[in-house]
Amino acid sequence: MINALKEVESRRRKILEMGGQEKIEKLRKSGKLTARERVECLLDENSFVELQPFVESRNKDFGLDGLPADGVITGYGTVDGRPVCVYAQDFTVLGGSLGEMHGLKIARLLDFALDAGIPVIGLCDSGGARIHEGVDSLKSYGEIFRRNVEASGRIPQINVIMGPCAGGAVYSPALGDFVIMTKNRSCHMFVTGPKVIKAVTGEDVSYSELGGWEVHAARSGNCHLVADNDVKALQLVRKLLSYLPLNSGEYPPVVNTGDDPMRKTPEIYEIVPEDQRKPYDVRMLIKAVVDNGEFFEIQPQFAPNATVGFARIDGKSVGIVANNPWFYAGCLDVDASDKIARFIRFCDAFNIPLITLVDVPGFLPGVEQEYRGVIRHGAKIIYAYSEASVPLITVVVRKAYGGAYIAMGSKHLGADIVYAFPTAEIAVMGPEGAAEIIFRREIESSKNPEEMREKMVEEYRRRFANPTRAAARGYVDDVIDPQYTRIRIASALRVLERKQKRRKHGNIPL
Ligand code: HXC
């Protein structure tokens, strides 16, 4: 037994050396942690249990032999005492490339996590399909993708891009729930790299310009959060997990935040300007309402005219969805629609109540938006709210016009409680546009058209552009004093605690 054990331990030591000292040094010089250090950094101290370290490639072509752990470390451990599964691709082993067995280790871990009902965190650092192994590596990608979809909406799947993420490597993160990138210059995501692009289209582009964090955080929307370095990215994962349940059958943990749910929020008087055209940053409003002003924003750089993220109210996790008048007057466009719809569907899958703050002049008008399919994308918000069965609490802050009024968590799509501030304007369109259309004849035939226009705008505003009509019909449950916003939301969350989930769904990338 002792000798056999010695033999096993000597093999294990070899595996723990990863791709060798030289490659590890190179990695460190580029400002990255090793795959094993990343796992240690993510998990609670000494909690990691490795699975299948001895797995190796069956393919021996082109001198492939004895790659430590076949280039990926898999196992489980705890974060803040709660179990999670984790895998970390090891760039020191053939560039973290995904061979057949490397891929099957990840696929088996996904099966394990799904059976155990716990989140999976992927620490990605890979040159893509291991070219030496041909179609065997493609097969393993397919096995992973199928399991990503099976796990979608059932266990949280979070991926951190910590180095290259090339070719087939991009799709598993894209099928998961959240992608975090580091600002390290060797960290990029793309399907086809600069060399192929140059050959096919003639375009010259660097790795960073093509798939660095700036691109994916602000333009493509593939990335949800960005961190300065490996350690900070792993801290973000821990924080994100703190808002989530372990699986779709559970509720998120309730935390004693020490912030009184009966706290008044008179600062909202100052935050929200009375003048409908004056912008403000809705994040100030969110911070005023949530526990200790802590708002964990998701995709802050992408479609900033919509704001989404996690927070706590009365210690309970909530998802916040808001229009942000600070950018493009808070209009809904193609990207904002996708961002909002996907966030709603994530929260709905994982039992996180949704608080919607509405201040929206409508869908962004323009030929470009129509051509890009704003109809199809906007429909995703309507679909997501209508499908959602978690508690839905909506506050109409100022403007709520037309289709955007309906789409933004209205009573008509199933909101449980809708409140409006006295400044709310709920109407088919803004008073200026409305008066121009329905009083066109009166304005044109008037001796003083300008004066008449102003009069008619005021008349329309008095009649329709306020919360009174919506409240009279019961589309708004009450018109509230903004200083009681937090108290009303906390109370709504309590009364809706037992709301039954109607059906389950995945979290398809939108
Ligand atoms: C096998 C690979 C590899 C790969 C890198 N390596 N990518 N080995 N298969 N896909 C190896 C290198 O040969 C090298 O081995 C080591 O990893 C480190 O790579 P370097 O090039 O020295 O590192 P660096 O300069 O940092 O560049 C990293 C890189 C580059 C940007 C990832 O290696 C690269 O462009 N690789 C190819 C990326 C790619 O086109 N992948 C797509 C594959 S097709 P040594 O022995 O020298 O250390 C695909 C389609 C699947 O994924 C579709 C499924 C749906």
Side-chain angles (χ1 to χ4, degrees), residues 314-378:
D314 197 10
K316 302 181 186 86
S317 272
V318 291
I320 310 267
V321 176
N323 312 110
N324 194 350
W326 199 249
F327 302 94
Y328 323 129
C331 266
L332 289 175
D333 60 3
V334 166
D335 289 342
S337 300
D338 285 2
K339 173 174 168 176
I340 290 177
R342 189 148 202 266
F343 184 72
I344 292 171
R345 298 195 81 240
F346 175 82
C347 290
D348 188 49
F350 290 101
N351 308 317
I352 301 171
L354 282 157
I355 315 292
T356 305
L357 303 175
V358 187
D359 194 341
V360 62
F363 282 93
L364 184 67
V367 176
E368 191 239 359
Q369 283 292 310
E370 294 291 342
Y371 283 5
R372 282 183 64 198
V374 70
I375 298 172
R376 175 167 54 90
H377 293 276

Side-chain angles (χ1 to χ4, degrees), residues 369-442:
Q369 283 292 310
E370 294 291 342
Y371 283 5
R372 282 183 64 198
V374 70
I375 298 172
R376 175 167 54 90
H377 293 276
K380 295 176 194 175
I381 306 185
I382 298 174
Y383 193 106
Y385 272 118
S386 302
E387 175 189 46
S389 55
V390 288
L392 298 176
I393 300 153
T394 299
V395 180
V396 183
V397 178
R398 292 194 312 185
K399 299 173 291 298
Y401 297 154
Y405 152 69
I406 305 168
M408 286 300 296
S410 66
K411 197 83 172 166
H412 325 297
L413 299 189
D416 297 292
I417 294 187
V418 178
Y419 288 127
F421 286 173
T423 42
E425 281 195 1
I426 303 172
V428 174
M429 60 174 70
E432 289 79 7
E436 199 71 57
I437 294 170
I438 59 175
F439 302 123
R440 185 169 52 89
R441 245 176 258 116
E442 287 89 333

Side-chain angles (χ1 to χ4, degrees), residues 85-228:
C85 279
V86 59
Y87 71 85
Q89 295 178 305
D90 183 353
F91 193 78
T92 67
V93 178
L94 221 50
S97 57
L98 187 138
E100 179 194 23
M101 299 312 283
H102 175 129
L104 289 185
K105 280 179 75 173
I106 298 174
R108 286 176 191 145
L109 189 76
L110 283 160
D111 284 338
F112 181 85
L114 195 52
D115 287 343
I118 59 177
V120 182
I121 292 112
L123 309 180
C124 309
D125 196 348
S126 169
R130 187 175 295 155
I131 297 162
H132 311 56
E133 296 199 43
V135 73
D136 281 339
S137 56
L138 300 185
K139 169 206 70 182
S140 292
Y141 267 128
E143 297 290 337
I144 295 172
F145 301 160
R146 181 159 57 83
R147 283 162 177 84
N148 286 137
V149 174
E150 218 177 306
S152 181
R154 297 167 73 185
I155 50 172
Q157 301 181 73
I158 301 168
N159 288 279
V160 193
I161 314 301
M162 311 182 92
C165 184
V170 299
Y171 287 113
S172 182
L175 288 164
D177 299 304
F178 297 102
V179 171
I180 300 172
M181 286 183 84
T182 73
K183 291 186 179 174
N184 191 301
R185 277 296 154 210
S186 71
C187 171
H188 35 69
M189 281 178 101
F190 51 78
V191 177
T192 42
K195 285 185 193 128
V196 178
I197 290 181
K198 175 77 184 160
V200 177
T201 69
E203 290 165 295
D204 268 315
V205 66
S206 70
Y207 282 106
S208 300
E209 283 164 352
L210 182 64
W213 66 272
E214 293 103 326
V215 173
H216 291 308
R219 295 182 69 164
S220 72
N222 290 329
C223 162
H224 298 86
L225 294 162
V226 178
D228 286 341

